[in-house]
């Protein structure tokens, strides 16, 4: 303990000396005269479990500005938000209209084609059994006769292909644009959320929203518009042409349609609930593997590989069972639909045969009727298949839109910034009370008061879990106090823009600093992308990491690996310190950054 304390003191002293030497650079940033600048440059609010004690816990004058208690995160809706969907579709309205019209035209042509096919077959059937005429006469007559119905039929086939091409290409463009926009909005929405949001939601789940859910939603949207629209139009049109060709046979054939529609709605409801559960479970399984893989060192050092495999297997098996339940539901639905549809065709043939035997309809009419009935049957089969995709899409869409509807309690860029000549770095915690939003029943700070004078190095000391990091987190405005107030140079922190505060005032080095999987140079520059190379090197020198970086084979271009895994813990911390120093912060917080 004693040694640890001494070594920490040494670290802090050396850092303080370095900072002292660099005071000129910091002064300029703060816009203050060079001589008096160091005091305002930094509070090293060193937050350590066993560091030396220099805690100012003062009861100070009453403040007027009172922080509002943190409101609970807004309840998110769980109904599909059609209005939001429309907001994404509106910019593509013309294309969507084009796609819808093309799909309807295709459906209309699909209805018309059997009728023209019937005429075509009737013309062909005239030549059945002609053997006495000369080949030449027969061919000429045949060509003259068949020309018109043939031209119509092939014309319709051509148009059908053209409009199919149109709606597919238009829907593909709309779907891709919309998915990209949703992804971007979702990412923008997620990344600005309060830390409480990230305390509540696992990374794997969030990544799932951005990838799988958006993908599912897009595919389902495209399918529903193209096939769904075509199915519906064909169903209606097919029904009309069946009635037109033969009302009697149509009556027999369409008898099963209402029951299929009824089944659609009844089964759809329960299938959607199963789908929601299955997707949630799949997400859970992904989170498990994401967490294990991203913390592979911890898994390995605890020899927990087999345990992780077991957990993953359990979660995926559960997901598979739920997915199978969904599949079974869809299978039952499709089997019933097929049975009804086949029954419909068989009864149509029976009644058609009878009508033909009594000369009430021609062979061409029966042919036309059968093709139209087949179209209706195909539409219903496709509709039942579509149902699964639609359920998946609606569930995924609901989850994506739910997240889009969540707004952060602490908007990132709203609030005031203190002019450089006013900014001194005087900090005051006044009777601060705080409980983490995810654990409201546990008060971490109660009536906590603290004054931090500019130019002082203050250490907070306390047992593990006593709230030292929490003080730093509140100063960073990661969370809002539930009571009391925090002031920076007399301004209530809750009125100050968090973005400005974190970007210009506070340099924060976390307890376990994380680096990005890029070069050391980029990691340091991350804090200030506009910094010059020299400034980056200078920050590294201040953090005493310049020398060891130079000794690495690729020097500043060394890739640090995922989360900085290819560096030692101490090296990671020093690079994180350099990153914080590059901002030339007015207040520097070291949360046991140099253990
Ligand atoms: N994100 C969080 N959500 C809920 N509770 C939290 C969260 N972070 C910390 N806590 C709880 O708040 C209390 C204070 O935690 P804090 O990290 O401030 O302690 P600390 O004094 O910095 O501890 P240490 O010296 O071990 O770093 C602890 O009981 C901890 O369990």
């Amino acid at each position: 303990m004693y040694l640890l304390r001494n070594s920490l003191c040494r670290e802090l002293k050396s850092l303080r000396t370095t900072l002292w030497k660099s005071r000129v650079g910091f002064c300029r940033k703060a816009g203050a005269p060079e001589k008096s600048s160091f005091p305002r440059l930094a509070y090293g609010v060193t937050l350590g479990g066993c560091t030396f004690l220099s805690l100012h816990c003062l009861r100070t004058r009453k403040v007027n500005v009172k922080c509002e208690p943190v409101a609970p995160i807004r309840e998110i809706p769980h109904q599909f938000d059609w209005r939001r969907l429309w907001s994404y579709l509106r910019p593509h309205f013309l294309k969507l209209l084009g796609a819808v019209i093309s799909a309807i035209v295709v459906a209309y042509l699909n209805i018309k084609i059997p009728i023209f096919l019937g005429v075509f077959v009737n013309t062909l059937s005239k030549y059945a059994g002609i053997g006495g005429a000369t080949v030449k006469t027969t061919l000429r007559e045949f060509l003259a006769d068949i020309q018109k119905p043939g031209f119509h039929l092939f014309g319709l086939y051509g148009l059908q292909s053209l409009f199919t091409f149109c709606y597919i290409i238009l829907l593909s463009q709309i779907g891709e644009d919309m998915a990209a926009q949703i992804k971007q909005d979702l990412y923008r929405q997620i990344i600005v959320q309060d830390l409480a949001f990230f305390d509540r939601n696992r990374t794997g789940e969030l990544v799932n929203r951005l990838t799988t859910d958006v993908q599912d939603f897009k595919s389902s949207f495209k399918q529903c518009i193209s096939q769904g629209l075509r199915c519906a139009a064909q169903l209606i049109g097919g029904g009309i042409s069946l009635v037109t060709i033969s009302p009697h046979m149509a009556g027999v054939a369409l008898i099963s349609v209402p029951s299929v529609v009824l089944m659609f709605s009844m089964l759809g409801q329960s299938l959607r609930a199963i789908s929601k559960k299955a997707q949630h479970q799949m997400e859970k399984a992904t989170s498990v593997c994401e967490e294990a893989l991203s913390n592979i060192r911890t898994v390995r050092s605890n020899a927990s590989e087999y345990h992780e495999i077991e957990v993953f297997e359990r979660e995926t098996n559960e997901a598979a069972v739920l997915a199978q339940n969904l599949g079974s539901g869809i299978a039952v639905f499709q089997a019933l639909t097929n049975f009804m549809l086949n029954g419909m065709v068989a009864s149509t043939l029976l009644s058609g045969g009878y009508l033909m035997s009594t000369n009430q309809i021609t062979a061409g009419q029966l042919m036309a009727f059968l093709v139209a009935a087949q179209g209706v049957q195909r539409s219903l089969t496709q509709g039942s298949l579509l149902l699964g995709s639609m359920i998946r899409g609606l569930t995924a869409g609901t989850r994506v839109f739910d997240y889009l509807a969540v707004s952060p309690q602490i908007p990132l860029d709203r609030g005031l910034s203190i002019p450089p000549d006013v900014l001194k770095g005087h900090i005051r915690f006044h009777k601060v009370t705080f409980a983490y939003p995810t654990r409201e029943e546990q008060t971490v700070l109660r009536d906590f008061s603290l004054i931090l004078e500019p130019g002082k190095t203050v250490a907070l000391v306390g047992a593990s879990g006593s709230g030292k990091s929490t003080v730093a987190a509140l100063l960073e405005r990661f969370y809002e106090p539930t009571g009391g107030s925090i002031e920076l140079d007399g301004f209530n922190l809750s009125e100050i823009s968090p973005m400005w505060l974190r970007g210009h005032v506070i340099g924060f080095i976390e307890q376990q600093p994380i680096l990005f999987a890029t070069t050391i140079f980029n990691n340091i520059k991350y804090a200030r992308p506009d910094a010059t190379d020299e400034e980056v090197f200078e920050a590294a020198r201040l953090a005493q990491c310049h020398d060891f970086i130079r000794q690495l084979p690729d020097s500043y271009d060394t890739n640090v690996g995922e989360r900085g895994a290819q560096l030692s813990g101490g090296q990671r911390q020093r690079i994180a310190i350099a990153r914080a120093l590059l901002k030339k912060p007015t207040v520097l917080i070291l949360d046991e950054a140099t253990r």
Side-chain angles (χ1 to χ4, degrees), residues 475-551:
L475 196 52
E476 275 268 47
R477 276 202 81 191
F478 285 165
Y479 303 90
E480 292 289 85
T482 32
S485 64
I486 306 169
E487 286 172 27
L488 172 64
D489 291 326
F491 294 91
N492 196 316
L493 215 60
S494 63
E495 289 163 5
I496 292 175
S497 153
M499 205 130 193
W500 174 81
L501 183 76
R502 292 164 200 155
H504 296 88
V505 183
I506 298 178
F508 184 38
I509 300 133
E510 303 136 280
Q511 220 162 8
Q512 286 153 354
I514 300 289
L515 301 183
F516 292 102
T518 176
T519 61
I520 292 177
F521 186 84
N522 287 342
N523 264 296
I524 299 177
K525 206 174 169 177
Y526 187 74
R528 247 188 67 210
D530 62 331
T532 62
D533 291 4
E534 197 38 56
E535 283 176 313
V536 171
F537 300 145
E538 183 55 26
R541 272 187 213 106
L542 284 174
Q544 297 174 1
C545 56
H546 181 74
D547 291 343
F548 86 73
I549 296 172
R550 280 274 179 232
Q551 280 163 21

Side-chain angles (χ1 to χ4, degrees), residues 265-329:
S265 54
M266 274 166 54
L267 265 171
Q269 200 94 14
S270 57
L271 289 181
R272 205 175 151 190
I274 304 175
S275 160
K276 204 169 174 180
K277 266 195 205 161
Q279 276 171 273
H280 178 70
Q281 184 55 36
M282 187 42 87
E283 204 166 72
K284 219 168 135 193
T286 313
S287 294
V288 166
C289 91
E290 198 258 356
E291 194 164 42
L293 293 178
S294 56
N295 296 301
I296 190 68
R297 280 179 167 71
T298 315
V299 173
R300 189 129 309 169
S301 60
N302 285 290
S304 295
E305 289 88 344
Y306 291 109
H307 168 72
E308 288 298 337
I309 292 170
E310 214 175 278
V311 174
F312 184 65
E313 279 178 1
R314 197 175 55 230
E315 298 296 344
T316 42
N317 283 342
E318 217 167 293
V321 169
L322 286 168
Q324 279 167 13
N325 287 348
L326 180 66
S328 308

Side-chain angles (χ1 to χ4, degrees), residues 230-249:
R230 224 178 51 203
C231 281
Q234 253 169 241
L235 204 63
I236 296 166
I240 294 169
S241 56
L242 287 183
V243 175
T244 319
I245 297 166
S246 166
H248 186 252
M249 279 201 295

Side-chain angles (χ1 to χ4, degrees), residues 47-49 199 436 438-439 442 444 462-471 479 511 591-592 595:
L47 308 160
D199 291 344
Y436 281 95
T438 45
R439 218 180 278 160
Q442 184 198 358
V444 179
S464 291
S466 56
K468 303 176 295 293
S469 303
T470 306
V471 172
Y479 303 90
Q511 220 162 8
D591 192 354
E592 286 188 85
R595 266 175 207 263

Side-chain angles (χ1 to χ4, degrees), residues 39 55 136 180 263 313 350 367 457 493 535 577:
L55 177 68
K136 253 188 175 173
M263 230 168 53
E313 279 178 1
L350 266 177
M367 178 73 184
T457 302
L493 215 60
E535 283 176 313
I577 292 173

Side-chain angles (χ1 to χ4, degrees), residues 70-87:
V70 179
I73 281 190
R74 188 145 59 90
E75 266 300 310
I76 47 180
H78 291 294
Q79 290 294 322
F80 186 79
D81 190 344
W82 292 99
R83 270 213 295 211
R84 196 177 282 276
L85 173 64
W86 174 238
S87 72

